[in-house]
Amino acid sequence: MKRENLLMKAAWICLVVVGGGILAFGLVAVLAPSSDNERLMRADGVAATGMGFFGVLIALVPFRRRERWAWLALWFYPVFWIAHLVGRLPPGKDHVHQVVFTALSLAGLLLPTRAFFPPSTTRTKENESPGR
């Protein structure tokens, strides 16, 4: 398997893991809220479920097709996790998962950068018109 294909496979797996983690948290928050404010926790859970679900779908379909918009859209993940880490926001109090998800999402986006932005082709003399 070519190096680029291995990088791409590692990348989308990293992003699916992040999306799956968010999806799992969302489902747990909806089904078994652990907060004093159950309605708020369930609302957060519904939002997280949607974010995780759509992230997984984007990683599995358009990202694997190397559609540039998917790569750009998935930059939401590291921004989201860095904001949670810097702001000391929930979920959780240990913040280890936020570091792990930040690292996974950055790896998933940076490893295949060349697949989404290939080096520009050099112009050959045959493609140039006379006089240039």
Side-chain angles (χ1 to χ4, degrees):
M1 190 180 256
K2 287 168 68 176
R3 182 176 189 271
E4 184 176 313
N5 289 338
L6 285 174
L7 291 176
M8 189 63 175
K9 186 173 185 175
W12 69 259
I13 289 171
C14 287
L15 294 168
V16 166
V17 168
V18 174
I22 295 169
L23 177 63
F25 165 77
L27 291 173
V28 168
V30 168
L31 300 174
S34 62
S35 172
D36 293 337
N37 191 341
E38 279 190 29
R39 292 181 67 175
L40 178 61
M41 185 70 160
R42 285 197 169 134
D44 287 347
V46 169
T49 300
M51 186 172 100
F53 179 71
F54 285 119
V56 167
L57 286 178
I58 290 169
L60 287 175
V61 182
F63 184 85
R64 288 176 63 194
R65 289 183 191 155
R66 293 165 172 77
E67 294 181 25
R68 195 175 289 175
W69 73 266
W71 184 84
L72 293 168
L74 287 168
W75 274 96
F76 177 77
Y77 279 161
V79 170
F80 174 84
W81 288 113
I82 290 169
H84 274 71
L85 185 62
V86 170
R88 299 186 186 276
L89 302 173
K93 294 181 181 174
D94 60 10
H95 304 290
V96 172
H97 68 285
Q98 293 169 349
V99 173
V100 170
F101 284 160
T102 299
L104 284 172
S105 60
L106 285 172
L109 292 164
L110 294 175
L111 285 173
T113 303
R114 292 189 111 193
F116 291 95
F117 300 94
S120 60
T121 57
T122 56
R123 293 170 54 179
T124 62
K125 291 193 178 199
E126 298 88 41
N127 293 339
E128 292 182 2
S129 61
R132 283 193 184 176

